[in-house]
Amino acid sequence: MYDPTRLAALVAVAETGSITRAAAHLGYTAPALSQQLAQLEREAGATLLVRHHRGARLTAAGELLAGRARRVLDELDQARHELAQLAGLSGGRLRVGTFTTAGVHLLPPVLSAFRRAHPDVELAVTEYEPPGGIAAVTAGEVDLALTHTYEPAVADPPPPGVTVEPLLVEELVLATAVGHRLSEGSGRLAVAELAGRPLISSAPAHPPRRGVESALAEAGATPAVVCESPGYALVCALVSAGLGVAVVPEMVASLSSTPLAVRRLEPADFRRTISVVHRGDRATAAAATLLALLRSGFGRAAAP
């Protein structure tokens, strides 16, 4: 079966003639949309589009699938509209919490799909640095929130009445400047090789990162540069400038706006889990609908 999100990406490229314009239309970054299209080509077993200096054009296989996809997406939109009427989603407000990475790279296309199906629901998005989103759902400040935890670490149990449901698990990888010696080689790099290397430490006092920082310290990787902000944009910029190396989530490294080299680590138990926080059976109809979209979009990636 084809993922509707990827079918929508193909239709958007067909209509705009450009991956960049299609990504802007859907609320993706261009690299993220390219990944969706590459996965769709693997599922289809055929080349669906050809890139050229003016944008991209669909192959014969791409045109065939896009035509079918339009009909499928129209039927799904109609189904969502009818279900919304049954659920009473003809108004009201949906309050969503998120952290920066998810808010930039994961949430927009899901909210875009929600808005297409339920245009009368008012959306409000608030940023919380994890684990702040859990407290916000508990306090009723938002209806649901995206949050994250790191491994190795000891996660605190959620408050009563609140569910923390994993959506996506990604490895933490080594990010270096392009051409750095540690980026050479195709195999995994032993964490012990980081001993004595200039390490950019990302917010060592930040609760979700403490376990990772402790494990790196045990391997002999002590920080040469301490970044007090939990955001990764500054970390990646410092790494790209050659001031040190850093251990960051794979998504952060792959979508960095500054050039980086990436290498996987051994052991492979450094991970970040992105989860959605909600109230379970007590969720509003709008929150339950968005939760279903999140599960559909990312739930199959929840295994490490």
mmCIF file of all heavy atoms in Angstrom, residues 76-102:
data_model
loop_
_atom_site.group_PDB
_atom_site.id
_atom_site.type_symbol
_atom_site.label_atom_id
_atom_site.label_comp_id
_atom_site.label_asym_id
_atom_site.label_seq_id
_atom_site.Cartn_x
_atom_site.Cartn_y
_atom_site.Cartn_z
ATOM 1 N N LEU A 76 -10.029 10.389 0.074
ATOM 2 C CA LEU A 76 -9.639 10.484 1.483
ATOM 3 C C LEU A 76 -10.081 11.814 2.078
ATOM 4 O O LEU A 76 -10.543 11.871 3.226
ATOM 5 C CB LEU A 76 -8.121 10.323 1.617
ATOM 6 C CG LEU A 76 -7.565 8.914 1.412
ATOM 7 C CD1 LEU A 76 -6.045 8.929 1.451
ATOM 8 C CD2 LEU A 76 -8.107 7.958 2.476
ATOM 9 N N ASP A 77 -9.922 12.907 1.315
ATOM 10 C CA ASP A 77 -10.369 14.211 1.801
ATOM 11 C C ASP A 77 -11.873 14.218 2.044
ATOM 12 O O ASP A 77 -12.355 14.784 3.032
ATOM 13 C CB ASP A 77 -9.992 15.313 0.798
ATOM 14 C CG ASP A 77 -8.526 15.704 0.885
ATOM 15 O OD1 ASP A 77 -7.909 15.401 1.929
ATOM 16 O OD2 ASP A 77 -8.010 16.295 -0.073
ATOM 17 N N GLN A 78 -12.621 13.601 1.125
ATOM 18 C CA GLN A 78 -14.063 13.532 1.296
ATOM 19 C C GLN A 78 -14.422 12.710 2.532
ATOM 20 O O GLN A 78 -15.317 13.073 3.310
ATOM 21 C CB GLN A 78 -14.716 12.923 0.054
ATOM 22 C CG GLN A 78 -16.238 12.828 0.121
ATOM 23 C CD GLN A 78 -16.903 14.185 0.254
ATOM 24 O OE1 GLN A 78 -16.386 15.189 -0.233
ATOM 25 N NE2 GLN A 78 -18.058 14.216 0.913
ATOM 26 N N ALA A 79 -13.690 11.612 2.742
ATOM 27 C CA ALA A 79 -13.942 10.780 3.923
ATOM 28 C C ALA A 79 -13.647 11.552 5.201
ATOM 29 O O ALA A 79 -14.409 11.471 6.179
ATOM 30 C CB ALA A 79 -13.094 9.507 3.861
ATOM 31 N N ARG A 80 -12.535 12.301 5.209
ATOM 32 C CA ARG A 80 -12.198 13.094 6.401
ATOM 33 C C ARG A 80 -13.282 14.131 6.670
ATOM 34 O O ARG A 80 -13.643 14.390 7.823
ATOM 35 C CB ARG A 80 -10.844 13.777 6.217
ATOM 36 C CG ARG A 80 -9.656 12.831 6.201
ATOM 37 C CD ARG A 80 -8.356 13.593 6.244
ATOM 38 N NE ARG A 80 -7.204 12.722 6.052
ATOM 39 C CZ ARG A 80 -6.525 12.622 4.918
ATOM 40 N NH1 ARG A 80 -6.869 13.366 3.883
ATOM 41 N NH2 ARG A 80 -5.507 11.807 4.815
ATOM 42 N N HIS A 81 -13.769 14.765 5.604
ATOM 43 C CA HIS A 81 -14.813 15.768 5.771
ATOM 44 C C HIS A 81 -16.076 15.154 6.369
ATOM 45 O O HIS A 81 -16.675 15.716 7.303
ATOM 46 C CB HIS A 81 -15.133 16.410 4.419
ATOM 47 C CG HIS A 81 -16.242 17.423 4.480
ATOM 48 N ND1 HIS A 81 -16.094 18.651 5.091
ATOM 49 C CD2 HIS A 81 -17.528 17.376 4.023
ATOM 50 C CE1 HIS A 81 -17.233 19.320 5.007
ATOM 51 N NE2 HIS A 81 -18.110 18.573 4.362
ATOM 52 N N GLU A 82 -16.476 14.006 5.865
ATOM 53 C CA GLU A 82 -17.685 13.353 6.371
ATOM 54 C C GLU A 82 -17.491 12.882 7.806
ATOM 55 O O GLU A 82 -18.403 12.988 8.642
ATOM 56 C CB GLU A 82 -18.055 12.186 5.460
ATOM 57 C CG GLU A 82 -18.507 12.639 4.065
ATOM 58 C CD GLU A 82 -18.674 11.476 3.108
ATOM 59 O OE1 GLU A 82 -18.442 10.320 3.524
ATOM 60 O OE2 GLU A 82 -19.040 11.718 1.933
ATOM 61 N N LEU A 83 -16.300 12.351 8.121
ATOM 62 C CA LEU A 83 -16.016 11.926 9.489
ATOM 63 C C LEU A 83 -15.992 13.122 10.436
ATOM 64 O O LEU A 83 -16.412 13.024 11.601
ATOM 65 C CB LEU A 83 -14.682 11.179 9.544
ATOM 66 C CG LEU A 83 -14.669 9.781 8.938
ATOM 67 C CD1 LEU A 83 -13.243 9.249 8.856
ATOM 68 C CD2 LEU A 83 -15.531 8.837 9.747
ATOM 69 N N ALA A 84 -15.457 14.258 9.940
ATOM 70 C CA ALA A 84 -15.424 15.463 10.762
ATOM 71 C C ALA A 84 -16.823 15.910 11.119
ATOM 72 O O ALA A 84 -17.093 16.352 12.242
ATOM 73 C CB ALA A 84 -14.687 16.574 10.025
ATOM 74 N N GLN A 85 -17.729 15.810 10.158
ATOM 75 C CA GLN A 85 -19.110 16.181 10.433
ATOM 76 C C GLN A 85 -19.719 15.268 11.493
ATOM 77 O O GLN A 85 -20.440 15.715 12.383
ATOM 78 C CB GLN A 85 -19.939 16.128 9.148
ATOM 79 C CG GLN A 85 -19.587 17.236 8.152
ATOM 80 C CD GLN A 85 -20.426 17.156 6.901
ATOM 81 O OE1 GLN A 85 -20.732 16.077 6.413
ATOM 82 N NE2 GLN A 85 -20.805 18.307 6.362
ATOM 83 N N LEU A 86 -19.392 13.965 11.395
ATOM 84 C CA LEU A 86 -19.898 13.026 12.394
ATOM 85 C C LEU A 86 -19.312 13.322 13.773
ATOM 86 O O LEU A 86 -19.982 13.202 14.790
ATOM 87 C CB LEU A 86 -19.543 11.584 11.990
ATOM 88 C CG LEU A 86 -20.300 10.995 10.803
ATOM 89 C CD1 LEU A 86 -19.734 9.623 10.473
ATOM 90 C CD2 LEU A 86 -21.789 10.903 11.115
ATOM 91 N N ALA A 87 -18.020 13.711 13.808
ATOM 92 C CA ALA A 87 -17.341 13.965 15.077
ATOM 93 C C ALA A 87 -17.582 15.371 15.595
ATOM 94 O O ALA A 87 -17.150 15.716 16.695
ATOM 95 C CB ALA A 87 -15.832 13.738 14.906
ATOM 96 N N GLY A 88 -18.250 16.199 14.814
ATOM 97 C CA GLY A 88 -18.505 17.558 15.248
ATOM 98 C C GLY A 88 -17.334 18.492 15.040
ATOM 99 O O GLY A 88 -17.244 19.526 15.703
ATOM 100 N N LEU A 89 -16.403 18.160 14.126
ATOM 101 C CA LEU A 89 -15.227 19.007 13.890
ATOM 102 C C LEU A 89 -15.549 20.099 12.866
ATOM 103 O O LEU A 89 -14.899 20.222 11.843
ATOM 104 C CB LEU A 89 -14.045 18.154 13.398
ATOM 105 C CG LEU A 89 -13.418 17.236 14.441
ATOM 106 C CD1 LEU A 89 -12.257 16.474 13.838
ATOM 107 C CD2 LEU A 89 -12.953 18.022 15.644
ATOM 108 N N SER A 90 -16.567 20.871 13.145
ATOM 109 C CA SER A 90 -16.916 21.970 12.256
ATOM 110 C C SER A 90 -16.554 23.313 12.870
ATOM 111 O O SER A 90 -16.971 24.353 12.407
ATOM 112 C CB SER A 90 -18.422 21.934 11.949
ATOM 113 O OG SER A 90 -19.168 21.971 13.159
ATOM 114 N N GLY A 91 -15.771 23.298 13.936
ATOM 115 C CA GLY A 91 -15.339 24.516 14.616
ATOM 116 C C GLY A 91 -14.477 24.152 15.803
ATOM 117 O O GLY A 91 -13.930 23.051 15.874
ATOM 118 N N GLY A 92 -14.333 25.060 16.735
ATOM 119 C CA GLY A 92 -13.531 24.791 17.913
ATOM 120 C C GLY A 92 -12.073 25.133 17.695
ATOM 121 O O GLY A 92 -11.685 25.751 16.704
ATOM 122 N N ARG A 93 -11.243 24.681 18.627
ATOM 123 C CA ARG A 93 -9.823 25.035 18.623
ATOM 124 C C ARG A 93 -8.981 23.832 18.980
ATOM 125 O O ARG A 93 -9.364 23.044 19.861
ATOM 126 C CB ARG A 93 -9.574 26.168 19.628
ATOM 127 C CG ARG A 93 -8.203 26.800 19.546
ATOM 128 C CD ARG A 93 -8.061 27.873 20.603
ATOM 129 N NE ARG A 93 -6.878 28.699 20.394
ATOM 130 C CZ ARG A 93 -6.262 29.369 21.344
ATOM 131 N NH1 ARG A 93 -6.717 29.327 22.595
ATOM 132 N NH2 ARG A 93 -5.197 30.107 21.085
ATOM 133 N N LEU A 94 -7.861 23.660 18.314
ATOM 134 C CA LEU A 94 -6.899 22.599 18.619
ATOM 135 C C LEU A 94 -5.586 23.251 19.018
ATOM 136 O O LEU A 94 -4.987 23.992 18.242
ATOM 137 C CB LEU A 94 -6.689 21.684 17.405
ATOM 138 C CG LEU A 94 -5.639 20.589 17.560
ATOM 139 C CD1 LEU A 94 -6.008 19.628 18.692
ATOM 140 C CD2 LEU A 94 -5.462 19.817 16.251
ATOM 141 N N ARG A 95 -5.139 22.964 20.239
ATOM 142 C CA ARG A 95 -3.901 23.543 20.770
ATOM 143 C C ARG A 95 -2.819 22.465 20.777
ATOM 144 O O ARG A 95 -2.985 21.416 21.392
ATOM 145 C CB ARG A 95 -4.132 24.093 22.173
ATOM 146 C CG ARG A 95 -5.240 25.156 22.248
ATOM 147 C CD ARG A 95 -5.679 25.366 23.689
ATOM 148 N NE ARG A 95 -6.160 24.118 24.264
ATOM 149 C CZ ARG A 95 -6.307 23.922 25.586
ATOM 150 N NH1 ARG A 95 -6.021 24.880 26.431
ATOM 151 N NH2 ARG A 95 -6.744 22.757 26.024
ATOM 152 N N VAL A 96 -1.712 22.743 20.106
ATOM 153 C CA VAL A 96 -0.648 21.755 19.903
ATOM 154 C C VAL A 96 0.658 22.301 20.465
ATOM 155 O O VAL A 96 1.018 23.462 20.229
ATOM 156 C CB VAL A 96 -0.461 21.434 18.404
ATOM 157 C CG1 VAL A 96 0.600 20.360 18.218
ATOM 158 C CG2 VAL A 96 -1.784 21.002 17.782
ATOM 159 N N GLY A 97 1.365 21.469 21.206
ATOM 160 C CA GLY A 97 2.699 21.804 21.682
ATOM 161 C C GLY A 97 3.743 21.049 20.883
ATOM 162 O O GLY A 97 3.495 19.935 20.415
ATOM 163 N N THR A 98 4.915 21.640 20.735
ATOM 164 C CA THR A 98 5.982 20.983 19.980
ATOM 165 C C THR A 98 7.334 21.512 20.434
ATOM 166 O O THR A 98 7.418 22.550 21.107
ATOM 167 C CB THR A 98 5.808 21.209 18.475
ATOM 168 O OG1 THR A 98 6.802 20.448 17.756
ATOM 169 C CG2 THR A 98 5.979 22.676 18.108
ATOM 170 N N PHE A 99 8.392 20.793 20.086
ATOM 171 C CA PHE A 99 9.747 21.312 20.256
ATOM 172 C C PHE A 99 10.284 21.687 18.885
ATOM 173 O O PHE A 99 9.672 21.389 17.862
ATOM 174 C CB PHE A 99 10.645 20.306 20.979
ATOM 175 C CG PHE A 99 10.812 18.984 20.273
ATOM 176 C CD1 PHE A 99 11.906 18.744 19.457
ATOM 177 C CD2 PHE A 99 9.878 17.978 20.417
ATOM 178 C CE1 PHE A 99 12.060 17.536 18.795
ATOM 179 C CE2 PHE A 99 10.015 16.759 19.771
ATOM 180 C CZ PHE A 99 11.116 16.547 18.957
ATOM 181 N N THR A 100 11.436 22.348 18.838
ATOM 182 C CA THR A 100 11.871 23.018 17.617
ATOM 183 C C THR A 100 12.005 22.073 16.430
ATOM 184 O O THR A 100 11.434 22.317 15.360
ATOM 185 C CB THR A 100 13.207 23.746 17.853
ATOM 186 O OG1 THR A 100 13.040 24.686 18.918
ATOM 187 C CG2 THR A 100 13.644 24.488 16.594
ATOM 188 N N THR A 101 12.768 20.984 16.570
ATOM 189 C CA THR A 101 13.030 20.101 15.436
ATOM 190 C C THR A 101 11.743 19.541 14.857
ATOM 191 O O THR A 101 11.518 19.562 13.645
ATOM 192 C CB THR A 101 13.954 18.938 15.845
ATOM 193 O OG1 THR A 101 15.122 19.458 16.467
ATOM 194 C CG2 THR A 101 14.360 18.115 14.632
ATOM 195 N N ALA A 102 10.864 19.056 15.728
ATOM 196 C CA ALA A 102 9.588 18.506 15.255
ATOM 197 C C ALA A 102 8.710 19.598 14.672
ATOM 198 O O ALA A 102 8.018 19.391 13.673
ATOM 199 C CB ALA A 102 8.867 17.798 16.395
#
